[in-house]
């Protein structure tokens, strides 16, 4: 078993411990947010952590109604910009807690009186120590270069934050079941390994979704890029209708993440276009009608029409698919060429 696979399978336990550890901090943070007039949220992150931040953007804007922007860190670190973070919540996300550019954003935000929150998997790291509130992933050491259980924890913390801030006890109840939910996907790993065999010779692909699950498409693309050296590109369905569709031809692999949620009906036009050109569609869904539209399919557990819950099933599938694909391609997912576990950008 590779380290990547081992760490993927640790997620049900890890997410339970993550929530237990951070519950009080989340309560304190959301109580302060409700007391103050927060006009905006800014998320600073890179790579996988940025994808978790985009998921948080969808949730906070949908549930709380507060706009969320994604920081362009170079504005501060390269161009010396002074950004006005007054009356904002600024969230910095970094698995290692050592992201130098994110740290500069957090320092500037704190100087200007913003509420600052960081999410890391490293206690005592610069980012863990710099913020008003620190949310600790608490998933244990992640040794594989490809982030898996830390991504799951980041998603979980962002979902908890948004639902607590919005006072959505109904959704918080659903989130309690996430560890058991993703265990159901893990139990189907043999099926995912069989699907990976089909894509043994895949050198490029497109990965599509929309709305809250678009960040999973981004993360899925990154996982097959960094572990299998496949040229993968993620798009929201709404954008793929335009210029990018011209790249699709007969046999082009398309990974399609779509749940039985608000974006479902919008997906059928794209599915028909892909079918018309003969694309090879791997449909990942909890919806029987959507699964029938794919060349092949994988069924995640029912997400009860909640896109935010389906995200966790999609994320674990994406991780297992990339990991299993390395076995048939002869790659080492724990030591991808040219990569290190911690990359410090400025």
């Amino acid at each position: 078993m590779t380290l990547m696979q081992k760490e993927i399978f640790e997620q049900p336990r890890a997410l339970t411990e993550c929530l237990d550890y951070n519950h009080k901090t989340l309560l304190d943070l959301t109580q302060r947010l409700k007391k103050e007039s927060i006009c905006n949220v800014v998320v600073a992150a890179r790579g996988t952590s940025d994808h978790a931040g985009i998921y948080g953007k969808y949730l906070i804007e949908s549930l709380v109604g507060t706009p969320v922007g994604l920081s362009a860190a170079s504005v501060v670190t390269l161009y010396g910009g002074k950004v006005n973070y007054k009356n904002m919540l600024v969230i910095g996300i970094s698995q290692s807690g050592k992201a130098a550019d994110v740290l500069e954003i957090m320092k500037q935000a704190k100087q200007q009186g913003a509420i600052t929150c960081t999410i890391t998997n490293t206690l005592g790291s610069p980012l863990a120590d710099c913020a008003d509130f620190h949310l600790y992933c608490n998933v244990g050491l992640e040794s594989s270069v490809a982030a898996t259980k830390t991504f799951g924890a980041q998603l979980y913390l962002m979902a908890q934050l948004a639902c607590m801030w919005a006072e959505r006890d109904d959704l918080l109840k659903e989130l309690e079941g996430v560890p058991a939910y993703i265990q159901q996907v893990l139990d189907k790993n043999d099926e995912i390994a069989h699907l990976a065999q089909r894509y043994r010779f895949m050198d490029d692909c497109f990965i599509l979704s929309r709305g809250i699950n678009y960040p999973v498409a981004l993360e899925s693309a990154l996982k097959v890029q960094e572990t299998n050296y496949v040229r993968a590109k993620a798009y929201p369905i709404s954008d793929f209708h335009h210029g990018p569709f011209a790249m699709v031809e007969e046999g082009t692999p398309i990974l399609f993440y779509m749940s039985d949620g608000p974006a479902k009906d919008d997906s059928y036009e794209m599915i028909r276009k892909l079918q018309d050109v003969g694309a090879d569609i791997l449909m990942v869904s909890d919806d029987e009608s959507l699964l029938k539209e794919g060349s092949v399919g994988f069924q995640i557990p029912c997400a009860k029409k909640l896109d935010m819950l389906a995200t966790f099933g999609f994320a674990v599938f994406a991780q297992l698919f990339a990991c299993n694909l390395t076995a048939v391609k002869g790659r080492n997912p724990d030591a991808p060429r040219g990569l290190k576990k911690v990359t410090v950008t400025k």
Side-chain angles (χ1 to χ4, degrees), residues 9 25 76 144 199 237 242 266 270 286 302 329-330:
F9 273 82
T25 303
V76 172
S144 182
Y199 297 93
I237 295 168
H242 303 285
D266 182 62
M270 176 55 65
D286 63 344
C302 177
K329 282 183 168 288

Side-chain angles (χ1 to χ4, degrees), residues 274-308:
L274 293 169
Q275 290 171 337
D276 287 347
V277 297
D280 185 326
I281 305 172
L282 169 50
M283 180 65 68
V284 186
S285 181
D286 63 344
D287 182 78
E288 292 282 356
S289 62
L290 284 171
L291 289 165
K292 292 176 182 177
E293 301 290 347
S295 308
V296 290
F298 179 85
Q299 187 168 13
I300 63 166
C302 177
K304 306 175 184 178
K305 298 186 181 295
L306 294 174
D307 278 351
M308 63 174 289

Side-chain angles (χ1 to χ4, degrees), residues 81-245:
K82 300 296 182 183
V83 181
N84 181 8
Y85 295 110
K86 188 177 180 180
N87 298 325
M88 295 187 188
L89 166 65
V90 181
I91 303 172
I93 313 175
S94 166
Q95 177 271 137
S96 68
K98 298 177 182 178
D101 48 1
V102 177
L103 182 61
E104 289 305 310
I105 297 290
M106 303 310 296
K107 286 179 178 178
Q108 194 171 110
K110 193 162 186 177
Q111 288 171 356
Q112 295 177 12
I115 299 175
T116 55
C117 171
T118 53
I119 301 174
T120 82
N121 193 44
T122 313
L123 293 172
S125 62
L127 277 170
D129 292 342
C130 78
D132 300 318
F133 300 90
H134 176 235
L135 299 173
Y136 176 44
C137 293
N138 194 34
V139 298
L141 178 67
E142 187 173 69
S143 298
S144 182
V145 169
T148 54
K149 60 182 179 178
T150 52
F151 179 62
Q154 290 168 352
L155 293 176
Y156 206 37
L157 288 168
M158 292 300 287
Q160 293 285 341
L161 171 59
C163 293
M164 291 176 72
W165 190 359
E167 299 182 337
R168 290 294 302 271
D169 291 343
D170 57 329
L171 296 179
L172 288 168
K173 186 67 176 177
E174 295 294 342
L175 288 174
E176 289 178 8
V178 164
Y181 181 80
I182 62 176
Q183 183 62 55
Q184 295 179 63
V185 180
L186 294 170
D187 290 343
K188 299 173 75 172
N189 184 49
D190 288 347
E191 183 180 335
I192 299 172
H194 180 72
L195 279 173
Q197 292 281 347
R198 177 187 177 94
Y199 297 93
R200 174 188 298 270
F201 301 109
M202 182 173 70
D203 292 320
D204 52 65
C205 67
F206 295 106
I207 305 179
L208 306 180
S209 190
R210 190 172 182 185
I212 287 173
N213 285 306
Y214 169 56
V216 177
L218 292 169
E219 181 63 12
S220 181
L222 177 58
K223 285 294 160 281
V224 294
Q225 288 169 353
E226 65 184 346
T227 61
N228 287 279
Y229 320 142
V230 169
R231 293 179 292 275
K233 178 67 174 176
Y235 287 95
I237 295 168
S238 49
D239 286 358
F240 202 67
H241 278 289
H242 303 285
F245 191 87

